[in-house]
Every structure is written in C-alpha cells, then in structure tokens.
Amino acid sequence: MEPIMNQIRSRVFQRLHRAAVLPRRKHSGCAEQAAVPAPTNSRKNKPTLLVSRLYQPANLRDMGLQGEMTCKSQRLMQQAGLIYQSNPGCYYYLPATVRSMEKLVRVIDQEMQGIGGQKLDMPSLCSADLWKTSERWDLMGKELFCLKDRHGADYCLGPTHEEAVTTLVAHQATLSYRQLPLLLYQITRKFRDEPKPKFGLLRGREFYMKDMYSFDVSEEAAYETYESVCQAYTRLFARLGLRCVQVQADTGNIGGKLSHEFQLPADIGEDRILVCGNCSFSANVETLSPDTSDCPNCKTGKLEESKGVEVGHTFYLGKKYSNIFNATFSSAQNKPCIAEMGCYGLGVTRILAAAIEVLSTEEGIRWPGLLAPYQACVVPPKKGSKMDGAAVLAEELVHTLGETLPRLRGEVVFDDRTQMTIGKRMKDASRLGYPYVIVVGQGALEETPRFEVICQQTGETMFLSKDGLLDLLGRVETV
C-alpha cells in the first residue's frame, strides 16, 4: 500500500510543479490566442445523452423478475430496468422513472397552481396525539406504520395529512376571510402498511401522492372549490391522454359529506364501477344497493359494470377536522368562524403505473406523450457495417434537433452502443418506449438524406427528410 501512495504523491507533486513553472497565460495577444486549439466541429457536435451511460443496469433486467408478476406494468417496468424492488411494496425508482415522475409533478403543479393551489411540504413523521384527537389512530388500525421515539412518544408515518394541515392553519390566528379559499398541497412520499402489496407501483407500502387541502368561508364556497378541483383533475387526465371516469364514491375512513373517485378503466383494477349508458351517472358499486342495474339518475338507462384503478380521490369534508382542531378565520364582521374543508388526492406513482398498464403492449412500454422520460432516440448504424458512414450524420442530427427545437433539448438520446445491431437496439428502444425512434441508416447517405422514423404510440413507420423530421418533432409537446 505504501509504495502505491508514494507513486500517487510523486505524480501529484510533478503536476503541481509543472503548473507552477508554466508561464501565466495572457488574456490578450493574437499569438497566445492562436496557441489554444479551437474545438473541432466533431467534438462540439458529440451527443451528450448516451444510452450506454444511462443508469438502467442490464444486470437488474437479466437477474430474472423478482417475485410474482401480478400485472403488465410491473413486469414491463422491471424488465426495462425502471424499478427494482427493495422489499415487498417498496421500490427503487431508477433515473428514467424519476424523469417521468418529475414531468408528471410539473403537470400536476401547473393544474393545481392554475386554480390557486400553493405548494408546501409537511412532515412525514406525524404525532400520534393529532391522530388520537381526530380518533383516526385506532380507526386506521394496522394500515398505519406506527413507531416510538427514544422518549417513548408515539408517531406514525403519514398516509395522509388532514390532521397536520388543519393544525397548521389553526395556529394561524390572523387568517382572514379575504384569504379564502386557501388551497394548500404537497407531493410527497406516503406510507401504508398494506397486508399484501401487489401490482408493482399500483399497490405498495411506500408511494408518492399529491394531497391538497382547501379551506373556505361557507358550504357554498367549499362546493365551488370542490368542483374546480374536479375540473382540474379532468383537464390533467385529458392532457395525459387517459380516459378517466369520475364516479361517486364512499368517504371511507377520511370522512366527510361527499366523495368522488377518478377511475382509469383497466382489467387489472380492483374497484368495480358502474356507468350508465344513457346519462353521465357513474358510481363505485360500494355506494349502491346490491344488484342495482337501473340508473338511479335518469331512471331509464342500464348500468354497465367494469373494473377500474383509482388514480384520484376528492372529498368534501365540511367541518369534520376544522371543528376538532379549531381551524377558524375572521369573518367580515370580525368574528371567528369555523372553516369548511375539502381534501383531494392524486396517486403520482399509481398514475404512472396505471398509464403504462393501459397504454402499453405486452412487449414494450408506451408512455403518455408528456411523461416519456425521453422523447426520441437516435440509432446510428452498427460500427463496421456498410452504413458506417452515416454515424457522423447521426451525431449531427442529434445536435441539429437540440439547436433547432429548443423544447427537445435534453429529450433526445443517442444509442451509441454501435457494437450491437440496429435490430437489437430497436428492440431495446421499443421496450423502453421512446415515443420516436430515428434510425440513421442507408437512406441518410443518399443525395437527399432520409431517416426512418418509428412512432411507437401508433406503430407507424415513416421515411422523412431532415426538414420533414424537424416538422414532425416540432409538434411534440413537452413539459
């Protein structure tokens, strides 16, 4: 060990010595400037997002699937190296998944802040005293992850934050009616001790959720806020291209006077939903009498049953929590009044997994366009093949896309694994679900270069000139 350290010290000393004896470079003078080599175009145009450098460990994919694969999204995400199970119901989210989640969070932020939501962050570690005050400590039962600190005080890892946010607002003694409605939301990890986690990210013990809480001056105002949030949810799912159904639902252990679920129809869904074929009525079967087949709304339509994955839930709480924790505001008459409340959840990781579940093929992931980790993958020819001359054109294409289409900067990856055939790399690209795969092959060497473009969402293959390709990708929406 000592000889190795001596060698390292010697090298460091030599470098420091060379740096000390070299003349200081001047910042003016043509001769000095000419001595510095200018970057070559080939070096300047080198792609920086290389598939070979993306952390999607092949050994994770090749180890075989962990445990029982209970749904398509779980299998595809593990096969693609997007998630890795650490223990039942808990997963590592690998970089491509985090990119997709961050995009989803940006879309959620846009919609929530568009209706006046303000983002905050509350502690995951929640005092048992709050939960006992609301009487939910025992009501939640074994679903709560409970623990004690070194002083013997009881805590839980928050699955939801009604108690915490109401206490926060209650401590603000100067809250005025002019500041209402007040909409506070967070996007954080949540914890629920599921007895049997399954379906990958669809039902886990640790997950990401957006939870928003509203405070209003009156019941009428609270209903208006409730409706505005439901409309924001509808817009959000429409932007993602997901056909969600808003159904009346049970309030469960959260409580309140009114509740709706946003269900994504899917065969893997654990909820049973009923939809009227004649009007807009829809409901979770839990809210209707057994064997109900006639629509209770229009009286003439028949209810059709299907399965769904719950990706969002809204509750009008009334004064359930604000009464308990004395969350008040000063009225126009300067009198203290109890605030009307609502709470609104979105399962962030569940939306991601549910979208993959309903949009993907059996062989490859298909993302909602806005949420794809990367929008395009450029595949150059195999090294040493007859088309090897197109490799430089492929690198230049990546540079051109970034320069010409600013929205695609950081969205185009270059598959530099040129020791592999184009076919094998295209198979990987299909598995990972890049919306657009651009193959730079023989057509790129023609007098009028053409590029093979595969649109993975539709399965369509096109052969486009550079201008045609720029026009196509220029219409891609990013967030």
Side-chain angles (χ1 to χ4, degrees), residues 354-375:
I356 291 173
E357 186 70 35
V358 300
L359 298 178
S360 300
T361 67
E362 290 297 327
E363 291 76 33
I365 291 174
R366 299 295 177 264
W367 303 88
L370 280 178
L371 304 188
Y374 300 96
Q375 290 295 331

PDB file of all heavy atoms in Angstrom, residues 354-375:
ATOM      1  N   ALA A 354     -50.423   2.994 -13.786  1.00  0.00           N
ATOM      2  CA  ALA A 354     -51.710   2.722 -14.424  1.00  0.00           C
ATOM      3  C   ALA A 354     -51.680   3.119 -15.894  1.00  0.00           C
ATOM      4  O   ALA A 354     -52.259   2.431 -16.751  1.00  0.00           O
ATOM      5  CB  ALA A 354     -52.820   3.470 -13.696  1.00  0.00           C
ATOM      6  N   ALA A 355     -51.012   4.229 -16.216  1.00  0.00           N
ATOM      7  CA  ALA A 355     -50.886   4.645 -17.611  1.00  0.00           C
ATOM      8  C   ALA A 355     -50.129   3.601 -18.419  1.00  0.00           C
ATOM      9  O   ALA A 355     -50.523   3.254 -19.540  1.00  0.00           O
ATOM     10  CB  ALA A 355     -50.178   6.002 -17.692  1.00  0.00           C
ATOM     11  N   ILE A 356     -49.048   3.090 -17.854  1.00  0.00           N
ATOM     12  CA  ILE A 356     -48.288   2.033 -18.532  1.00  0.00           C
ATOM     13  C   ILE A 356     -49.148   0.792 -18.688  1.00  0.00           C
ATOM     14  O   ILE A 356     -49.125   0.119 -19.726  1.00  0.00           O
ATOM     15  CB  ILE A 356     -46.992   1.734 -17.749  1.00  0.00           C
ATOM     16  CG1 ILE A 356     -46.024   2.914 -17.862  1.00  0.00           C
ATOM     17  CG2 ILE A 356     -46.332   0.450 -18.243  1.00  0.00           C
ATOM     18  CD1 ILE A 356     -44.787   2.790 -17.004  1.00  0.00           C
ATOM     19  N   GLU A 357     -49.948   0.495 -17.689  1.00  0.00           N
ATOM     20  CA  GLU A 357     -50.803  -0.694 -17.719  1.00  0.00           C
ATOM     21  C   GLU A 357     -51.788  -0.634 -18.889  1.00  0.00           C
ATOM     22  O   GLU A 357     -51.998  -1.632 -19.579  1.00  0.00           O
ATOM     23  CB  GLU A 357     -51.566  -0.803 -16.394  1.00  0.00           C
ATOM     24  CG  GLU A 357     -52.379  -2.069 -16.231  1.00  0.00           C
ATOM     25  CD  GLU A 357     -51.524  -3.304 -16.049  1.00  0.00           C
ATOM     26  OE1 GLU A 357     -50.452  -3.227 -15.416  1.00  0.00           O
ATOM     27  OE2 GLU A 357     -51.935  -4.370 -16.558  1.00  0.00           O
ATOM     28  N   VAL A 358     -52.407   0.512 -19.115  1.00  0.00           N
ATOM     29  CA  VAL A 358     -53.475   0.577 -20.120  1.00  0.00           C
ATOM     30  C   VAL A 358     -52.968   0.958 -21.508  1.00  0.00           C
ATOM     31  O   VAL A 358     -53.625   0.651 -22.508  1.00  0.00           O
ATOM     32  CB  VAL A 358     -54.591   1.557 -19.686  1.00  0.00           C
ATOM     33  CG1 VAL A 358     -55.210   1.118 -18.375  1.00  0.00           C
ATOM     34  CG2 VAL A 358     -54.077   2.985 -19.585  1.00  0.00           C
ATOM     35  N   LEU A 359     -51.804   1.603 -21.607  1.00  0.00           N
ATOM     36  CA  LEU A 359     -51.325   2.067 -22.907  1.00  0.00           C
ATOM     37  C   LEU A 359     -50.328   1.121 -23.568  1.00  0.00           C
ATOM     38  O   LEU A 359     -50.174   1.147 -24.788  1.00  0.00           O
ATOM     39  CB  LEU A 359     -50.664   3.452 -22.771  1.00  0.00           C
ATOM     40  CG  LEU A 359     -51.546   4.610 -22.286  1.00  0.00           C
ATOM     41  CD1 LEU A 359     -50.715   5.884 -22.164  1.00  0.00           C
ATOM     42  CD2 LEU A 359     -52.713   4.830 -23.227  1.00  0.00           C
ATOM     43  N   SER A 360     -49.655   0.282 -22.788  1.00  0.00           N
ATOM     44  CA  SER A 360     -48.528  -0.499 -23.308  1.00  0.00           C
ATOM     45  C   SER A 360     -48.965  -1.758 -24.039  1.00  0.00           C
ATOM     46  O   SER A 360     -50.069  -2.278 -23.828  1.00  0.00           O
ATOM     47  CB  SER A 360     -47.582  -0.867 -22.165  1.00  0.00           C
ATOM     48  OG  SER A 360     -47.069   0.277 -21.535  1.00  0.00           O
ATOM     49  N   THR A 361     -48.058  -2.244 -24.883  1.00  0.00           N
ATOM     50  CA  THR A 361     -48.226  -3.561 -25.478  1.00  0.00           C
ATOM     51  C   THR A 361     -47.668  -4.595 -24.511  1.00  0.00           C
ATOM     52  O   THR A 361     -47.101  -4.246 -23.465  1.00  0.00           O
ATOM     53  CB  THR A 361     -47.475  -3.658 -26.812  1.00  0.00           C
ATOM     54  OG1 THR A 361     -46.047  -3.595 -26.556  1.00  0.00           O
ATOM     55  CG2 THR A 361     -47.854  -2.506 -27.743  1.00  0.00           C
ATOM     56  N   GLU A 362     -47.770  -5.855 -24.837  1.00  0.00           N
ATOM     57  CA  GLU A 362     -47.210  -6.898 -23.974  1.00  0.00           C
ATOM     58  C   GLU A 362     -45.688  -6.893 -24.006  1.00  0.00           C
ATOM     59  O   GLU A 362     -45.041  -7.370 -23.086  1.00  0.00           O
ATOM     60  CB  GLU A 362     -47.737  -8.274 -24.398  1.00  0.00           C
ATOM     61  CG  GLU A 362     -49.214  -8.506 -24.100  1.00  0.00           C
ATOM     62  CD  GLU A 362     -49.517  -8.475 -22.603  1.00  0.00           C
ATOM     63  OE1 GLU A 362     -48.649  -8.884 -21.811  1.00  0.00           O
ATOM     64  OE2 GLU A 362     -50.616  -8.019 -22.232  1.00  0.00           O
ATOM     65  N   GLU A 363     -45.107  -6.333 -25.086  1.00  0.00           N
ATOM     66  CA  GLU A 363     -43.654  -6.388 -25.242  1.00  0.00           C
ATOM     67  C   GLU A 363     -42.943  -5.097 -24.860  1.00  0.00           C
ATOM     68  O   GLU A 363     -41.751  -5.113 -24.571  1.00  0.00           O
ATOM     69  CB  GLU A 363     -43.289  -6.711 -26.704  1.00  0.00           C
ATOM     70  CG  GLU A 363     -43.633  -8.116 -27.152  1.00  0.00           C
ATOM     71  CD  GLU A 363     -45.130  -8.284 -27.419  1.00  0.00           C
ATOM     72  OE1 GLU A 363     -45.755  -7.285 -27.858  1.00  0.00           O
ATOM     73  OE2 GLU A 363     -45.669  -9.378 -27.172  1.00  0.00           O
ATOM     74  N   GLY A 364     -43.654  -3.967 -24.892  1.00  0.00           N
ATOM     75  CA  GLY A 364     -42.958  -2.711 -24.663  1.00  0.00           C
ATOM     76  C   GLY A 364     -43.820  -1.661 -24.006  1.00  0.00           C
ATOM     77  O   GLY A 364     -45.046  -1.651 -24.138  1.00  0.00           O
ATOM     78  N   ILE A 365     -43.155  -0.754 -23.293  1.00  0.00           N
ATOM     79  CA  ILE A 365     -43.841   0.336 -22.588  1.00  0.00           C
ATOM     80  C   ILE A 365     -44.276   1.401 -23.577  1.00  0.00           C
ATOM     81  O   ILE A 365     -43.543   1.741 -24.510  1.00  0.00           O
ATOM     82  CB  ILE A 365     -42.908   0.942 -21.523  1.00  0.00           C
ATOM     83  CG1 ILE A 365     -42.688  -0.054 -20.383  1.00  0.00           C
ATOM     84  CG2 ILE A 365     -43.467   2.253 -20.976  1.00  0.00           C
ATOM     85  CD1 ILE A 365     -41.669   0.399 -19.366  1.00  0.00           C
ATOM     86  N   ARG A 366     -45.468   1.910 -23.370  1.00  0.00           N
ATOM     87  CA  ARG A 366     -45.948   3.072 -24.112  1.00  0.00           C
ATOM     88  C   ARG A 366     -46.389   4.113 -23.082  1.00  0.00           C
ATOM     89  O   ARG A 366     -47.260   3.854 -22.273  1.00  0.00           O
ATOM     90  CB  ARG A 366     -47.114   2.694 -25.037  1.00  0.00           C
ATOM     91  CG  ARG A 366     -46.740   1.667 -26.087  1.00  0.00           C
ATOM     92  CD  ARG A 366     -45.706   2.194 -27.071  1.00  0.00           C
ATOM     93  NE  ARG A 366     -45.300   1.190 -28.037  1.00  0.00           N
ATOM     94  CZ  ARG A 366     -44.212   0.424 -27.912  1.00  0.00           C
ATOM     95  NH1 ARG A 366     -43.439   0.555 -26.832  1.00  0.00           N
ATOM     96  NH2 ARG A 366     -43.891  -0.444 -28.840  1.00  0.00           N
ATOM     97  N   TRP A 367     -45.734   5.259 -23.124  1.00  0.00           N
ATOM     98  CA  TRP A 367     -45.975   6.310 -22.141  1.00  0.00           C
ATOM     99  C   TRP A 367     -47.009   7.302 -22.653  1.00  0.00           C
ATOM    100  O   TRP A 367     -47.130   7.506 -23.863  1.00  0.00           O
ATOM    101  CB  TRP A 367     -44.688   7.104 -21.882  1.00  0.00           C
ATOM    102  CG  TRP A 367     -43.507   6.335 -21.436  1.00  0.00           C
ATOM    103  CD1 TRP A 367     -42.565   5.736 -22.238  1.00  0.00           C
ATOM    104  CD2 TRP A 367     -43.093   6.099 -20.094  1.00  0.00           C
ATOM    105  NE1 TRP A 367     -41.600   5.146 -21.467  1.00  0.00           N
ATOM    106  CE2 TRP A 367     -41.889   5.350 -20.144  1.00  0.00           C
ATOM    107  CE3 TRP A 367     -43.610   6.453 -18.845  1.00  0.00           C
ATOM    108  CZ2 TRP A 367     -41.203   4.950 -19.000  1.00  0.00           C
ATOM    109  CZ3 TRP A 367     -42.932   6.055 -17.703  1.00  0.00           C
ATOM    110  CH2 TRP A 367     -41.749   5.315 -17.780  1.00  0.00           C
ATOM    111  N   PRO A 368     -47.699   8.002 -21.758  1.00  0.00           N
ATOM    112  CA  PRO A 368     -48.362   9.236 -22.184  1.00  0.00           C
ATOM    113  C   PRO A 368     -47.291  10.162 -22.739  1.00  0.00           C
ATOM    114  O   PRO A 368     -46.202  10.279 -22.158  1.00  0.00           O
ATOM    115  CB  PRO A 368     -48.956   9.790 -20.885  1.00  0.00           C
ATOM    116  CG  PRO A 368     -49.085   8.602 -19.976  1.00  0.00           C
ATOM    117  CD  PRO A 368     -47.929   7.708 -20.320  1.00  0.00           C
ATOM    118  N   GLY A 369     -47.567  10.814 -23.870  1.00  0.00           N
ATOM    119  CA  GLY A 369     -46.531  11.596 -24.542  1.00  0.00           C
ATOM    120  C   GLY A 369     -45.801  12.559 -23.628  1.00  0.00           C
ATOM    121  O   GLY A 369     -44.574  12.683 -23.682  1.00  0.00           O
ATOM    122  N   LEU A 370     -46.542  13.257 -22.770  1.00  0.00           N
ATOM    123  CA  LEU A 370     -45.912  14.245 -21.892  1.00  0.00           C
ATOM    124  C   LEU A 370     -44.965  13.620 -20.877  1.00  0.00           C
ATOM    125  O   LEU A 370     -44.061  14.289 -20.380  1.00  0.00           O
ATOM    126  CB  LEU A 370     -46.986  15.038 -21.138  1.00  0.00           C
ATOM    127  CG  LEU A 370     -47.691  16.174 -21.879  1.00  0.00           C
ATOM    128  CD1 LEU A 370     -48.746  16.798 -20.981  1.00  0.00           C
ATOM    129  CD2 LEU A 370     -46.696  17.241 -22.321  1.00  0.00           C
ATOM    130  N   LEU A 371     -45.181  12.354 -20.547  1.00  0.00           N
ATOM    131  CA  LEU A 371     -44.443  11.748 -19.430  1.00  0.00           C
ATOM    132  C   LEU A 371     -43.286  10.857 -19.859  1.00  0.00           C
ATOM    133  O   LEU A 371     -42.577  10.338 -18.997  1.00  0.00           O
ATOM    134  CB  LEU A 371     -45.404  10.925 -18.559  1.00  0.00           C
ATOM    135  CG  LEU A 371     -46.621  11.647 -17.999  1.00  0.00           C
ATOM    136  CD1 LEU A 371     -47.346  10.751 -17.005  1.00  0.00           C
ATOM    137  CD2 LEU A 371     -46.230  12.975 -17.347  1.00  0.00           C
ATOM    138  N   ALA A 372     -43.085  10.655 -21.148  1.00  0.00           N
ATOM    139  CA  ALA A 372     -41.974   9.805 -21.580  1.00  0.00           C
ATOM    140  C   ALA A 372     -40.662  10.368 -21.039  1.00  0.00           C
ATOM    141  O   ALA A 372     -40.416  11.582 -21.134  1.00  0.00           O
ATOM    142  CB  ALA A 372     -41.920   9.741 -23.104  1.00  0.00           C
ATOM    143  N   PRO A 373     -39.809   9.531 -20.467  1.00  0.00           N
ATOM    144  CA  PRO A 373     -38.542  10.042 -19.918  1.00  0.00           C
ATOM    145  C   PRO A 373     -37.737  10.819 -20.951  1.00  0.00           C
ATOM    146  O   PRO A 373     -37.149  11.852 -20.650  1.00  0.00           O
ATOM    147  CB  PRO A 373     -37.815   8.768 -19.480  1.00  0.00           C
ATOM    148  CG  PRO A 373     -38.900   7.769 -19.239  1.00  0.00           C
ATOM    149  CD  PRO A 373     -39.969   8.086 -20.233  1.00  0.00           C
ATOM    150  N   TYR A 374     -37.698  10.313 -22.179  1.00  0.00           N
ATOM    151  CA  TYR A 374     -37.067  10.994 -23.310  1.00  0.00           C
ATOM    152  C   TYR A 374     -38.015  10.891 -24.496  1.00  0.00           C
ATOM    153  O   TYR A 374     -38.679   9.874 -24.684  1.00  0.00           O
ATOM    154  CB  TYR A 374     -35.718  10.366 -23.656  1.00  0.00           C
ATOM    155  CG  TYR A 374     -34.731  10.410 -22.510  1.00  0.00           C
ATOM    156  CD1 TYR A 374     -34.570   9.310 -21.664  1.00  0.00           C
ATOM    157  CD2 TYR A 374     -33.971  11.546 -22.271  1.00  0.00           C
ATOM    158  CE1 TYR A 374     -33.681   9.357 -20.597  1.00  0.00           C
ATOM    159  CE2 TYR A 374     -33.075  11.603 -21.213  1.00  0.00           C
ATOM    160  CZ  TYR A 374     -32.938  10.506 -20.378  1.00  0.00           C
ATOM    161  OH  TYR A 374     -32.054  10.563 -19.325  1.00  0.00           O
ATOM    162  N   GLN A 375     -38.036  11.930 -25.321  1.00  0.00           N
ATOM    163  CA  GLN A 375     -38.989  11.959 -26.426  1.00  0.00           C
ATOM    164  C   GLN A 375     -38.502  11.203 -27.655  1.00  0.00           C
ATOM    165  O   GLN A 375     -39.311  10.718 -28.442  1.00  0.00           O
ATOM    166  CB  GLN A 375     -39.302  13.412 -26.811  1.00  0.00           C
ATOM    167  CG  GLN A 375     -40.115  14.163 -25.774  1.00  0.00           C
ATOM    168  CD  GLN A 375     -41.510  13.595 -25.604  1.00  0.00           C
ATOM    169  OE1 GLN A 375     -42.096  13.043 -26.522  1.00  0.00           O
ATOM    170  NE2 GLN A 375     -42.048  13.709 -24.398  1.00  0.00           N
TER     171      GLN A 375
END
